[in-house]
Amino acid sequence: MQNIKKTYGPITALSNASILLKEGSVVALVGANGAGKSTLMNILGGITAQDDGELLVNDKKVNFNSPVDAARYGIQFVHQELSIFKTMTVAENIFINQFPAQFGIISKQVIESTTKQLLAELGSNLNPHHYVESLSTGDCQMVVIARAMLGNPKILILDEPTSSLSKYEKEKLNLVIGRLKEAGVAIIYITHFISEIFEVCDSVTVMRNGVTISSQAIHETDNSKIIELMLGDVASIEKKRKKERSENIFLKVDKLQNENKVKEASFELNKGEILGIWGLLGSGRTELVRSIIGLDGEPKGTILISRHGKLTPVSTEYLSGITAYVSEDRRGEGVLLPMSVLKNTALPNLKKVSGNLGMIMLNKARNLATRVINSLSIKVSNFDQTVGTLSGGNQQKIVFGKWLETEPDLLILDEPTRGLDISAKGEILKIATDLANNGVSILFISSELEELMKISDRYLIISERYVVAELPGDSTQDTLISALSKNVQGSAA
Amino acid sequence: MNLDFTRNRALDFAFPIFLVLVSLGFALVKPSFLGLENIFGMLHAMAPIAIISTGMALIVIMGKLDISLGSIALVSMGVSATLLQSGYGFISSTVIALLVGAILGAVNGFIICILKVNPLIATLGTMLAFRGLGNQITDAHVVVLPDGFRALGNFSLGIIYFDTVICLVLLISVHVLHRRTKFGKVVTAIGNDETTAERVGLPVTRTIFFSFVIAGMLASIGGFFASAQVGAVTSFLGKGLEFTAVAVVVVGGISLFGGRGSILWGVILGSLTFEVIRSGLNYLGANPYFYQLIGGIVIFIAMYAAVIKMGYSANDS
């Protein structure tokens, strides 16, 4: 693929992306969130078309209009979300879109014996007539890979294949990848786990901001180089706030554990402080903040809150009551797209807008919506406009506004600027700093180092589901990056 | 895991065991209840509903519903009966009845696939509209069918009735269609997850459309035998049948959530359960309304068993 460009409306997803694949070799494709990996792969897989640039297969120019087109050139895409049918058997799942039939009748024996053969080639001994719902995620993945193999692929795209696999299953997958390599298949391996790259890949292509900035053979690079490339240089950082925060501890989390989501986390958060949570995707950032407010079951460990000047242990439920959580999934969890601004802002504040009889008072709800719109200068024609018609930045402001009306003591911002344009990003950061200045304590998660550095008073380093270190607010980019790569390497060893 | 498996198996067999126990109960009071004559009589009586349920089963396995099937039966038989009265032959009017079933099924398919209306809402609408159409055609009068028609409806070789045989042939055909053809696999895949089926590139729209056409045709065949048994087409033909068909399918272990169940065994088990209860209570001379009460309870138990089963399999994964 050469010089691929793709824009979605005003947002440029890819500005100059190229990737080279060789028979029988595995290319790792890495990059931070929004770097353009998925867009590039969707173009290769025929799911979307590029605006500019060329796709060459065996030096011949090709154009794909659909995944079926791409499959004709031997390109198979194994998505992160596995396309499986639970109530059907392994064999049926593998043959689902290419059943061989004689006079319209499918022979169970034929598909089951072919399946057995195919799975054996992949080194798996799954029973072809077992139902897929009884399989582990790793085995389901095997089924999907086997289905892709049935299409005789020359290029196989694996999108985050290990994101929900156990260690043992990962090893099994690595063996499969090894076999496919031997068979001459070119593989693109998308991952967030840098250490994995060194286990299976032959070369690494790094993407940042829609550009493939580097392609190197695996022995020419290492962990920290890759991470550095992914995150990029941060131009001179101007701190959004002067360091003048109070030293009163507001929240103390001690030895928090939550099954395999959070291995161990201890940290403190001061009143009016913005604590930047720094880690790669998949390191357990989101899981950490979800755990402390009890969204993922009851965690082990202690959570203390400062009440009347004393630290008192509280339940996750209590903490959740005084917290506003701006989730990373804005469209899914942040707002109700088909509903109006008025309804969206009223929803977390129903007590506030209700009258004595528990009925919602329209005038109160209107006042609240107007207040939210004005205080955050949200661009809407009126409060009856549906949120789905607003721009991403304005949607996010609605999320902020509705939570702020609940007057939270703790604000959790999980990738609050994802998918926003630069000016909207700036505004969101400004709102966050203003809030901190007014005494709200903030946990801030971001994949973008630059924005994290702009806003954080202190950093918590997260790796492989542990809180591994804490760094002061004046840490340099190098310290932050090396803190991550050191810990990634540590756990890989 | 093993325990859950046993429990699921036990639930699978719960209704067959229930059916046997209830039959034995009736037989204790009246031994002739389990005589061959009564058994084949029941198989004869349940043939129309079993045929309609066969189509319903196909739709339910896709995770959808078609509650217009009873009304489709009325319209196609209304047309057929009117044609017979105005001098058309038996064969041509029957072929036309089947065509009407297919066309009305296609109307459902069009509303669901092209206009993207939720199947329950779409067929709720057509259930009312088709019934109106059917009554328009017959003027809501009882249309008496020719004697030959009635003879066919109750024709038997020994104790085996003609409609029982046709019912079995249709059941096996649709069962094979579901289990052994590409079409059937797509039906099951849609019942699992329509979005995933589309992503994998399966012909989702086409399959949904033709399933509704098949269900419509089966509904008119069911209507054919239902009217043949009584020798007339009345405006009550097929009324409430669609709901009985849903109940039959559910009792037969075909999940309303789609993707699960066997058409052949499910429809036989479901139809037989309701027929045994109906005929048994009738045998004992019970109040007919009592049958409705028992039928309701049976549906409730079947749904509850399905929920328990779903719970267990959800825990497995």
Side-chain angles (χ1 to χ4, degrees), chain A residues 286-353:
Chain A
T286 302
E287 289 81 355
L288 172 65
V289 296
R290 285 179 64 90
S291 290
I292 64 172
I293 53 172
L295 290 180
D296 288 330
E298 207 46 44
K300 292 196 193 86
T302 348
I303 298 170
L304 303 126
I305 286 279
S306 156
R307 270 198 290 194
H308 317 298
K310 238 174 65 187
L311 280 177
T312 354
V314 292
S315 64
T316 52
E317 197 184 346
Y318 176 85
L319 185 62
S320 156
I322 57 167
T323 301
Y325 173 43
V326 176
S327 122
E328 60 182 332
D329 181 9
R330 176 173 61 242
R331 301 170 73 84
E333 298 175 355
V335 285
L336 296 165
L337 293 172
M339 286 168 79
S340 69
V341 173
L342 180 82
K343 286 182 178 159
N344 266 287
T345 50
L347 216 44
N349 302 296
L350 288 177
K351 266 215 179 99
K352 230 175 172 177
V353 299

Side-chain angles (χ1 to χ4, degrees), chain A residues 394-461:
Chain A
N394 282 311
Q395 285 178 9
Q396 190 68 312
K397 283 190 195 170
I398 301 271
V399 180
F400 267 73
K402 72 170 189 184
W403 285 121
L404 296 186
E405 279 294 324
T406 66
E407 293 160 26
D409 294 322
L410 173 65
L411 180 63
I412 298 174
L413 301 177
D414 193 352
E415 300 269 8
T417 64
R418 178 189 283 177
L420 302 187
D421 61 44
I422 292 175
S423 68
K425 278 184 182 176
E427 280 181 85
I428 295 289
L429 293 189
K430 175 142 188 346
I431 296 169
T433 44
D434 287 350
L435 286 168
N437 288 338
N438 288 327
V440 179
S441 307
I442 300 180
L443 291 174
F444 192 97
I445 299 177
S446 176
S447 298
E448 282 179 46
L449 186 53
E450 187 175 338
E451 108 182 356
L452 196 74
M453 288 183 70
K454 262 187 197 163
I455 200 171
S456 302
D457 300 322
R458 205 153 47 94
Y459 304 97
L460 219 52
I461 313 298

Side-chain angles (χ1 to χ4, degrees), chain A residues 79 81-88 92 96-97 99-101 104-108 133-134 147, chain B residues 1 176 179-182 185 188-190 192-193 196-197 199-202 258-260 313 317:
Chain A
H79 294 266
E81 192 186 328
L82 298 173
S83 303
I84 47 160
F85 303 100
K86 285 180 156 193
T87 70
M88 304 177 83
E92 287 171 347
I96 189 72
N97 44 18
F99 278 109
I105 299 294
I106 298 164
S107 158
K108 245 189 192 167
E133 62 191 336
S134 66
R147 186 195 292 154
Chain B
M1 162 85 207
V176 169
R179 280 289 163 91
R180 302 293 297 274
T181 67
K182 291 185 195 182
K185 297 297 174 196
T188 312
I190 293 171
N192 269 269
D193 189 338
T196 310
R199 191 168 57 208
V200 174
L202 302 180
R260 285 164 213 274
S313 33
S317 58

Side-chain angles (χ1 to χ4, degrees), chain B residues 8-232:
Chain B
N8 271 344
R9 270 287 112 128
L11 283 168
D12 279 343
F13 284 112
F15 266 99
I17 291 167
F18 171 78
L19 183 61
V20 170
L21 290 180
V22 170
S23 313
L24 287 176
F26 284 130
L28 273 180
V29 186
K30 284 225 171 177
S32 63
F33 183 77
L34 281 183
L36 277 183
E37 199 172 325
N38 192 47
I39 288 177
F40 280 93
M42 288 194 292
L43 292 178
H44 163 57
M46 74 183 215
I49 183 63
I51 293 171
I52 294 178
S53 302
T54 307
M56 185 67 91
L58 196 65
I59 304 288
V60 169
I61 287 174
M62 279 194 314
K64 306 193 182 302
L65 276 177
D66 184 345
I67 55 170
S68 72
L69 294 178
S71 300
I72 291 182
L74 173 69
V75 177
S76 46
M77 283 323 288
V79 169
S80 156
T82 316
L83 289 177
L84 279 171
Q85 269 192 335
S86 54
Y88 276 76
F90 170 75
I91 295 194
S92 56
S93 59
T94 303
V95 168
I96 289 173
L98 276 178
L99 274 178
V100 170
I103 290 168
L104 297 186
V107 169
N108 281 332
F110 175 80
I111 298 173
I112 290 155
C113 296
I114 310 296
L115 306 184
K116 306 278 174 203
V117 178
N118 173 299
L120 184 64
I121 305 296
T123 55
L124 178 67
T126 52
M127 173 178 83
L128 297 169
F130 292 165
R131 184 149 295 273
L133 181 66
N135 283 333
Q136 190 98 32
I137 292 167
T138 59
D139 219 1
H141 287 317
V142 176
V143 185
V144 179
L145 295 166
D147 289 344
F149 214 113
R150 182 164 190 173
L152 181 71
N154 299 294
F155 176 76
S156 68
L157 270 179
I159 47 173
I160 301 172
Y161 286 87
F162 175 64
D163 49 11
T164 306
V165 175
I166 295 293
C167 171
L168 200 61
V169 168
L170 290 173
L171 249 175
I172 291 173
S173 314
V174 178
H175 184 79
V176 169
L177 178 75
H178 169 227
R179 280 289 163 91
R180 302 293 297 274
T181 67
K182 291 185 195 182
F183 181 86
K185 297 297 174 196
V186 178
V187 165
T188 312
I190 293 171
N192 269 269
D193 189 338
E194 201 171 324
T195 327
T196 310
E198 245 158 26
R199 191 168 57 208
V200 174
L202 302 180
V204 171
T205 310
R206 198 202 320 161
T207 305
I208 296 175
F209 181 84
F210 282 111
S211 299
F212 276 93
V213 172
I214 292 170
M217 285 178 75
L218 288 167
S220 53
I221 300 174
F224 175 90
F225 285 110
S227 352
Q229 283 183 5
V230 296

Side-chain angles (χ1 to χ4, degrees), chain B residues 278-317:
Chain B
R278 193 198 61 78
S279 147
L281 292 175
N282 197 20
Y283 235 69
L284 301 183
N287 182 327
Y289 298 113
F290 189 59
Y291 161 68
Q292 292 181 343
L293 174 69
I294 299 288
I297 293 172
V298 168
I299 293 172
F300 169 76
I301 294 172
M303 290 302 290
Y304 188 60
V307 168
I308 295 175
K309 222 171 125 179
M310 284 295 284
Y312 286 137
S313 33
N315 285 344
D316 285 352
S317 58

Side-chain angles (χ1 to χ4, degrees), chain A residues 149-190:
Chain A
M149 293 314 294
L150 204 56
N152 240 339
K154 300 204 172 53
I155 300 171
L156 184 65
I157 307 169
L158 300 174
D159 189 359
E160 301 222 21
T162 58
S163 55
S164 47
L165 297 191
S166 67
K167 200 167 169 224
Y168 168 71
E169 289 173 330
K170 276 183 198 173
E171 281 163 14
K172 244 166 99 178
L173 178 69
N174 289 349
L175 286 179
V176 170
I177 292 176
R179 281 173 192 245
L180 295 177
K181 256 171 75 168
E182 273 168 37
V185 180
I187 296 171
I188 300 182
Y189 189 96
I190 304 178

